[in-house]
PDB file of all heavy atoms in Angstrom:
ATOM      1  N   HIS A1536      15.705  58.427  -4.506  1.00  0.00           N
ATOM      2  CA  HIS A1536      14.360  58.821  -4.936  1.00  0.00           C
ATOM      3  C   HIS A1536      13.423  57.606  -4.909  1.00  0.00           C
ATOM      4  O   HIS A1536      13.691  56.605  -4.256  1.00  0.00           O
ATOM      5  CB  HIS A1536      14.361  59.532  -6.250  1.00  0.00           C
ATOM      6  CG  HIS A1536      15.425  60.649  -6.279  1.00  0.00           C
ATOM      7  ND1 HIS A1536      15.214  61.868  -5.786  1.00  0.00           N
ATOM      8  CD2 HIS A1536      16.724  60.593  -6.646  1.00  0.00           C
ATOM      9  CE1 HIS A1536      16.298  62.613  -5.879  1.00  0.00           C
ATOM     10  NE2 HIS A1536      17.269  61.854  -6.376  1.00  0.00           N
ATOM     11  N   GLU A1551      15.170  59.392 -12.936  1.00  0.00           N
ATOM     12  CA  GLU A1551      16.276  58.944 -12.065  1.00  0.00           C
ATOM     13  C   GLU A1551      15.910  57.756 -11.177  1.00  0.00           C
ATOM     14  O   GLU A1551      16.666  56.872 -10.978  1.00  0.00           O
ATOM     15  CB  GLU A1551      16.704  60.141 -11.213  1.00  0.00           C
ATOM     16  CG  GLU A1551      17.823  59.815 -10.217  1.00  0.00           C
ATOM     17  CD  GLU A1551      18.273  60.995  -9.410  1.00  0.00           C
ATOM     18  OE1 GLU A1551      17.673  62.110  -9.557  1.00  0.00           O
ATOM     19  OE2 GLU A1551      19.173  60.842  -8.572  1.00  0.00           O
ATOM     20  N   HIS A1605      22.607  57.785  -7.401  1.00  0.00           N
ATOM     21  CA  HIS A1605      21.821  58.877  -7.950  1.00  0.00           C
ATOM     22  C   HIS A1605      22.210  59.113  -9.386  1.00  0.00           C
ATOM     23  O   HIS A1605      23.179  58.580  -9.903  1.00  0.00           O
ATOM     24  CB  HIS A1605      22.042  60.133  -7.153  1.00  0.00           C
ATOM     25  CG  HIS A1605      21.337  60.103  -5.865  1.00  0.00           C
ATOM     26  ND1 HIS A1605      20.147  60.754  -5.600  1.00  0.00           N
ATOM     27  CD2 HIS A1605      21.615  59.448  -4.693  1.00  0.00           C
ATOM     28  CE1 HIS A1605      19.731  60.505  -4.365  1.00  0.00           C
ATOM     29  NE2 HIS A1605      20.613  59.727  -3.810  1.00  0.00           N
ATOM     30  N   VAL A1606      21.389  59.962 -10.065  1.00  0.00           N
ATOM     31  CA  VAL A1606      21.693  60.354 -11.420  1.00  0.00           C
ATOM     32  C   VAL A1606      21.662  61.889 -11.395  1.00  0.00           C
ATOM     33  O   VAL A1606      20.819  62.502 -10.761  1.00  0.00           O
ATOM     34  CB  VAL A1606      20.686  59.791 -12.403  1.00  0.00           C
ATOM     35  CG1 VAL A1606      20.743  60.471 -13.729  1.00  0.00           C
ATOM     36  CG2 VAL A1606      20.845  58.311 -12.532  1.00  0.00           C
ATOM     37  N   GLU A1709      26.926  59.672  -8.351  1.00  0.00           N
ATOM     38  CA  GLU A1709      26.026  60.259  -9.383  1.00  0.00           C
ATOM     39  C   GLU A1709      26.489  59.568 -10.710  1.00  0.00           C
ATOM     40  O   GLU A1709      27.597  59.769 -11.130  1.00  0.00           O
ATOM     41  CB  GLU A1709      26.232  61.755  -9.470  1.00  0.00           C
ATOM     42  CG  GLU A1709      25.771  62.524  -8.258  1.00  0.00           C
ATOM     43  CD  GLU A1709      24.274  62.844  -8.191  1.00  0.00           C
ATOM     44  OE1 GLU A1709      23.498  62.330  -9.088  1.00  0.00           O
ATOM     45  OE2 GLU A1709      23.842  63.564  -7.264  1.00  0.00           O
TER      46      GLU A1709
HETATM   47 ZN1   ZN B1360      19.199  62.177  -6.988  1.00  0.00          ZN
END
Side-chain angles (χ1 to χ4, degrees):
H1536 312 275
E1551 177 179 2
H1605 286 258
V1606 166
E1709 295 276 6

